[in-house]
Amino acid sequence: MSKQQRARLDAMLRQPRPQGPQSVEAFRDRFKATMDQMIIPGGIRTTRTTLGDRPALHVEPDNNPRPATILYFHGGGWVAGSPQTALSLTGHLVAKTGFSSYSLDYRLAPEHPLPAAIDDALSAYRALLDSGHDPSAIAFAGDSAGGGLTVTTCLAVRDAGLPLPAAIVAFSPSLDATGSGESMDTKAGIDPIFTREYLEETIAPLYLAGQDPHQPMASPALCADPTGLPPMLLQAGTNEILLDDSTRMAARARDAGVNVILDITADVPHVFQSYAGVLDEADQALERAALFLTQHIRSSNTAATPAR
């Protein structure tokens, strides 16, 4: 682990950013420009496809893919991002596990607020099942807002009476739209990316569109009953104000009898796993995530019709 790497990353993330109100389009452009700088591993190939009725990016190993699938949900605060902006994360998971991935281009707020993204994710999972994919050979993974989707989509899957996926992996998940975690205050100034005011005044209103944040699909760390959910790995850093989204979700899952691993890395920011190839802790966390996936996904030898 490198203290120097962490210090350089923190300084980079604290570079001055535009002040004052920004349009959604400007935020999306800035987010894309940031994520385009991430390192995408070799040894993978990508194909544009559809899943359910939404675009998706199929990411596969170049050679000898193992017969299992990661359904990935990108980050971007519910209002930005795409499968392309998450390609560093999906690419590294695919390269490290040998599994294939479908990265979903779900609908974004404010044009499509809660529950549009959850509906799209549920539809995508149905499409995988309908095309013959074995649920025991599927895992949900995602980062930030997409990390939240891994949990809320599982809740929707369970409530719809569908077979659950084998596992959940969530990187710095957003799981509390009320903003009530203690880390929202204790990590103020330590977090180089977010402030409470930014999340409460910009992200939450666009995603909720006036809806009550005290509901399971908006704040599962506070309001959801996770009984019956599959094993989950929650990874977060100590330098993020969303830290308690993960700690409280882990406690809630544990109390409901769900197998859960809470994996906290010191002195790293929100979705630090994106900096694989730059930050040692990112590479190590992705290795742990890959190990978790290979331990919980049963690679199926049954051929499935490719999702379209």
Side-chain angles (χ1 to χ4, degrees):
M1 293 183 284
S2 169
K3 183 176 181 180
Q4 292 75 21
Q5 288 175 346
R6 284 175 287 172
R8 285 196 298 269
L9 177 58
D10 186 84
M12 181 188 74
L13 293 173
R14 293 182 187 277
Q15 291 297 310
R17 285 173 282 183
Q19 299 298 310
Q22 294 184 67
S23 68
V24 170
E25 291 74 16
F27 174 73
R28 289 171 176 167
D29 289 345
R30 184 161 59 86
F31 182 81
K32 181 180 183 301
T34 297
M35 299 308 293
D36 282 349
Q37 300 175 48
M38 305 306 169
I39 296 172
I40 298 171
I44 62 171
R45 61 179 182 271
T46 62
T47 307
R48 297 188 182 279
T49 184
T50 58
L51 200 54
D53 59 358
R54 294 297 304 167
L57 192 66
H58 193 200
V59 186
E60 302 174 277
D62 271 342
N63 298 305
N64 302 318
R66 301 171 66 186
T69 302
I70 301 167
L71 180 55
Y72 197 89
F73 308 122
H74 67 80
W78 313 109
V79 301
S82 70
Q84 190 64 40
T85 63
L87 187 53
S88 170
L89 290 165
T90 51
H92 279 100
L93 288 177
V94 166
K96 292 177 185 300
T97 61
F99 300 152
S100 297
S101 174
Y102 286 95
S103 185
L104 183 67
D105 195 1
Y106 56 85
R107 290 173 292 170
L108 300 174
E111 297 89 344
H112 305 283
L114 178 75
I118 300 170
D119 291 343
D120 290 346
L122 178 60
S123 177
Y125 183 60
R126 284 185 187 272
L128 289 178
L129 297 180
D130 290 346
S131 62
H133 286 72
D134 182 346
S136 68
I138 300 173
F140 291 172
D143 64 282
S144 194
L149 268 179
T150 65
V151 175
T152 53
T153 303
C154 258
L155 294 172
V157 167
R158 182 198 63 190
D159 294 348
L162 296 172
L164 287 160
I168 291 171
V169 170
F171 302 134
S172 297
S174 177
L175 296 163
D176 173 20
T178 73
S180 60
E182 289 185 6
S183 59
M184 292 286 285
D185 296 315
T186 60
K187 301 300 179 180
I190 298 172
D191 189 323
I193 301 173
F194 292 135
T195 64
R196 172 189 285 277
E197 292 72 25
Y198 177 78
L199 294 180
E200 290 182 344
E201 296 173 8
T202 305
I203 299 300
L206 295 177
Y207 180 55
L208 292 173
Q211 299 175 74
D212 183 5
H214 294 88
Q215 55 173 300
M217 292 306 187
S219 300
L222 294 183
C223 307
D225 175 8
T227 300
L229 293 195
M232 60 176 68
L233 170 66
L234 307 174
Q235 289 188 343
T238 61
N239 286 11
E240 56 177 310
I241 62 175
L242 295 185
L243 173 60
D244 282 351
D245 287 34
S246 291
T247 60
R248 289 175 296 158
M249 188 72 244
R252 198 168 187 86
R254 176 203 63 204
D255 292 345
V258 175
N259 291 332
V260 58
I261 295 175
L262 178 62
D263 181 357
I264 306 298
T265 298
D267 299 327
V268 293
H270 186 67
V271 195
F272 67 95
Q273 299 88 344
S274 294
Y275 296 93
V278 174
L279 183 68
D280 289 345
E281 287 84 351
D283 294 286
Q284 293 159 3
L286 286 166
E287 290 286 353
R288 296 193 298 273
L291 176 61
F292 179 85
L293 289 169
T294 57
Q295 289 175 331
H296 289 88
I297 293 182
R298 182 176 68 82
S299 294
S300 172
N301 292 321
T302 303
T305 304
R308 290 288 184 267

